[in-house]
Amino acid sequence: MISRKNMGSVSPLLLITLVLGVCFATYNLVTMVMHNRSISKPTIYYNSDGGIFVDPIIEMPESVRKLKRAKMPFHVALTATDAPYSKWQCRIMYYWYKKQKDLPGSEMGGFTRILHSGNPDNLMNEIPTVIVDPLPAGLDRGYIVLNRPWAFVQWLEKATIEEEYVLMAEPDHIFVTPLPNLAHGGYPAAFPFFYIKPDQNEKLLRKFFPEELGPVTNIDPIGNSPVIIKKELLEKIAPTWMNVSLKMKDDPETDKTFGWVLEMYAYAVASALHGVQHILQKDFMLQPPWDLEIGKKYIIHYTYGCDYNMKGELTYGKIGEWRFDKRSFLRGPPPRNLPLPPPGVPESVVTLVKMVNEATANIPNWDAE
C-alpha cells in the first residue's frame, strides 16, 4: 500500500505524464467510437493480430481494405459441361481472365475448368481443364446444377494448385476489372443474392439446419458462386454441400419451393453447418439489366436476358426489338460483332455486349463448337 506520505512525494513530472496518458487514451477511445459509428452495422473489427472477431459486413470499409498487405493469390475454378452453350461462355470467361489476371490490383492465380462430363472435349488445349465424372445417371433428375458440388468434391481430391484460396466462378462471369482477394483468413467472401432468403424459409431449412445450431439467420444469403474461400475450408464444406443438395432434391416440398436456386441454398446451409460465415461483398458482381452501372464492381454476371425497345426502354418479360440473352445461343456460339444496344440503354448492358464482342473477335476459331 502507498502511504499518504509517499503519495505526497510523487513528482509533478510523473503526475503530468499520467494526466497526458489518460487524455490520450480518452481521445483514442472517442475517436474510435466516432469512427465506428460511421460504418454501417454489423461491422468487422480486428484484434491486435489482424483477426476478425465480430460479424461480417455487406461492404468492407476502405479502412479495412487498407489493412491488407501481402498479395494473396486465388485459383479460379469453374464447373462446366461439354455442351456448346457451356463451351462458348467458358471461352469468353477465360479470355477476360487472361486480360485481367496480371493487371494492377489483381490477385488472380491459376485457372481450372472442371469439366464434369467425364470425357475430354475440343477445348482441352485452349483452357486448362480437369475432367471429373458426372453424377450417376438419373441422380440429378434433370437439374444439371447438382453436378456442381460433386464436381468440386472430385476436383479438390485431385487438385494440386499452388494457391491457398479458390474462387468458385461460373461460365457466364466476365471479369470487368482486376479482381483482388476479397476474403479475409477464415472468412470467405461471397455475393449476397436478393432472392436467397433464409429467414423467409425457416420451416423448410429446419429440415437441414436443426434449431440447436442457432437461428436460420446464421445461413448466409448466398450461393456458391462467386465465392473466394480457403481451399482447406472448401474441402470441408464441399461434401456436405453435395449431400445437402441431394437431400433437398429428394424432398418434394423443398425442391418445389427452391427450384433452380436449390443448389445455392444447399451451399449456404452447408457452410452454416460448418459454422462458416461469409463476408458479404455487394461489389463482387453486377447483374444486367438490373444493375445499371459498372461502378466498382468486379464481375459481370449475364444470367438475365436484356430486352429493350429502340428508345432504350427495358421490356423485361417481352422480347425486345434489341436483345441480348445467352439462352438465344443454346446450340452454338453467338456471332461475332453483335449489334450494340440503342441509345439510352444502361452502361452495364453496353459494356457487356462490348466485352462479348471483343472476346469473340480475338478468340481463334470462334465458330468452332
Side-chain angles (χ1 to χ4, degrees):
M1 180 179 293
I2 300 175
S3 68
R4 192 177 297 272
K5 178 180 178 181
N6 288 336
M7 287 181 64
S9 63
V10 174
S11 71
L13 180 60
L14 178 58
L15 288 173
I16 292 172
T17 302
L18 287 172
V19 169
L20 288 175
V22 170
C23 291
F24 182 74
T26 303
Y27 171 78
N28 281 341
L29 177 61
V30 171
T31 301
M32 181 178 68
V33 170
M34 294 302 293
H35 171 71
N36 286 327
R37 281 180 179 172
S38 67
I39 300 173
S40 58
K41 302 289 185 179
T43 189
I44 285 181
Y45 293 90
Y46 286 77
N47 57 25
S48 58
D49 63 0
I52 302 174
F53 61 91
V54 184
D55 293 325
I57 55 172
I58 292 297
E59 184 176 13
M60 189 177 288
E62 285 299 319
S63 59
V64 174
R65 293 176 191 265
K66 292 176 182 177
L67 290 176
K68 297 172 69 174
R69 55 338 113 153
K71 204 167 185 180
M72 297 192 302
F74 54 86
H75 195 91
V76 180
L78 75 156
T79 56
T81 74
D82 59 359
Y85 178 65
S86 177
K87 288 196 288 189
W88 70 256
Q89 293 175 58
C90 288
R91 299 181 81 190
I92 291 174
M93 198 268 200
Y94 186 58
Y95 172 86
W96 283 104
Y97 155 80
K98 291 188 294 182
K99 287 270 291 189
Q100 305 287 3
K101 177 181 180 293
D102 296 321
L103 295 180
S106 168
E107 292 182 276
M108 291 188 276
F111 187 103
T112 299
R113 179 182 64 135
I114 307 171
L115 182 62
H116 55 75
S117 57
N119 296 296
D121 64 9
N122 62 337
L123 297 183
M124 302 295 293
N125 294 326
E126 180 178 333
I127 304 174
T129 300
V130 169
I131 300 171
V132 297
D133 293 324
L135 287 169
L139 196 58
D140 65 12
R141 304 187 194 159
Y143 181 53
I144 197 168
V145 184
L146 277 186
N147 283 278
R148 183 175 294 154
W150 174 225
F152 269 105
V153 168
Q154 295 175 82
W155 177 67
L156 289 165
E157 289 177 350
K158 61 175 70 175
T160 54
I161 63 174
E162 298 177 355
E163 300 85 359
E164 185 181 1
Y165 291 83
V166 173
L167 164 67
M168 291 189 285
E170 296 182 13
D172 60 354
H173 287 176
I174 291 178
F175 295 108
V176 68
T177 55
L179 179 61
N181 190 336
L182 303 175
H184 185 90
Y187 284 86
F191 177 78
F193 288 91
F194 70 89
Y195 48 79
I196 303 296
K197 300 176 179 180
D199 59 331
Q200 296 183 20
N201 292 281
E202 180 166 5
K203 180 184 174 183
L204 289 178
L205 292 173
R206 283 304 182 197
K207 298 179 181 182
F208 315 98
F209 188 75
E211 288 189 20
E212 55 264 31
L213 294 181
V216 291
T217 50
N218 286 352
I219 301 171
D220 292 326
I222 61 172
N224 82 289
S225 178
V227 167
I228 299 177
I229 186 171
K230 276 193 170 182
K231 178 175 176 282
E232 62 182 19
L233 198 54
L234 183 57
E235 287 172 338
K236 297 175 183 177
I237 294 174
T240 309
W241 171 28
M242 180 186 71
N243 291 331
V244 172
S245 296
L246 293 173
K247 288 178 181 177
M248 285 184 170
K249 191 66 179 173
D250 279 339
D251 184 79
E253 185 183 13
T254 305
D255 185 23
K256 181 179 179 181
T257 302
F258 290 164
W260 65 275
V261 298
L262 180 148
E263 167 268 341
M264 298 172 69
Y265 269 103
Y267 175 80
V269 169
S271 298
L273 288 171
H274 286 275
V276 175
Q277 286 185 293
H278 296 70
I279 300 170
L280 304 181
Q281 287 279 1
K282 65 181 182 180
D283 283 344
F284 210 149
M285 188 169 75
L286 69 145
Q287 302 185 97
W290 310 117
D291 296 307
L292 306 181
E293 299 176 350
I294 301 298
K296 296 182 179 180
K297 308 291 196 299
Y298 298 107
I299 293 172
I300 292 179
H301 182 211
Y302 56 99
T303 190
Y304 296 105
C306 301
D307 288 276
Y308 292 86
N309 61 29
M310 299 313 290
K311 297 178 181 178
E313 298 168 336
L314 182 65
T315 63
Y316 194 78
K318 177 183 177 182
I319 294 178
E321 297 173 87
W322 180 94
R323 77 180 325 228
F324 176 80
D325 187 337
K326 66 178 185 177
R327 295 164 192 83
S328 300
F329 310 103
L330 293 174
R331 298 186 179 183
R336 286 175 164 152
N337 197 28
L338 292 168
L340 293 178
V345 170
E347 173 197 26
S348 61
V349 179
V350 176
T351 301
L352 166 61
V353 177
K354 285 182 176 180
M355 295 186 82
V356 168
N357 280 346
E358 178 179 332
T360 60
N362 289 282
I363 296 174
N365 304 312
W366 172 247
D367 294 329
E369 294 187 2

